[in-house]
Amino acid sequence: MRDSGAPERFDVAFEMGCGTGHLTRRLCSNFEMRALTVNDLSPEAARAAKAAGATFLCGDALQMDWPEKPQLIASASMIQWLPDPARLLQRAARALAPGGWLAISGFGPEQYRELAHLGSHAGAPGLQSLADMAAALKDELDVFVTGERIREMHFPTPRCVLDHLRKTGVNGKAQGVWSKSRLAQFSADYSQRFGGPAGVTLTYHPVWIIGQKRN
């Protein structure tokens, strides 16, 4: 955002899906925000809001009232959990004040491709391509930055993949209840299809977009 010409100060800013506050802290360290409101489904995220001196709104971002005419709307790693991310993107674009900035990241269709190939339903419902994200915003925003990255992480065993998913909390559906036989079959299939000298892979596919609302 700074490299694209965003101002150093926003009077009204809104972050969706703040979680434990990773993006919140980055925003606060890079911009001055007179009034910052953050949102999350989990009441525990109120701690991140308090640490940032922000107002906290708990609940579904699509269902609640937002701050009026924010000059900045930001979100990281949240929209992929929505069945229709374009709806949220379009609401955000319409809600911005003229000249306001939008910075959104999510995950693309290659996210956790190993799990998908094995027939898992653990993938998030709203994985978005960059083209889909840009198309949802093209009528309201000038898009300055889009980006994506395919990253393969390596783990010693498939069991370590499951442990990673549990610890990160990014995919609750992958946790489930694992019987001994189900875990053994999963491990054998995963190792056969995605194993190599460096262990087994797990793919991340972050995507992001930054734009400014037309005056």
Side-chain angles (χ1 to χ4, degrees), residues 94-111:
R94 291 192 297 267
L96 281 169
W101 286 74
L102 182 73
I104 302 284
S105 74
F107 291 106
E110 293 300 305
Q111 179 79 357

Side-chain angles (χ1 to χ4, degrees), residues 168-192:
T168 58
V170 295
N171 204 316
K173 292 181 181 179
Q175 298 175 20
V177 177
W178 291 86
S179 66
K180 186 175 181 179
S181 60
R182 182 185 172 210
L183 179 59
Q185 186 63 55
F186 172 82
S187 297
D189 292 344
Y190 205 114
S191 296
Q192 181 180 11

Side-chain angles (χ1 to χ4, degrees), residues 103-124:
I104 302 284
S105 74
F107 291 106
E110 293 300 305
Q111 179 79 357
Y112 297 156
R113 59 189 176 194
E114 294 87 353
L115 298 175
H117 283 307
L118 291 176
S120 169
H121 298 292

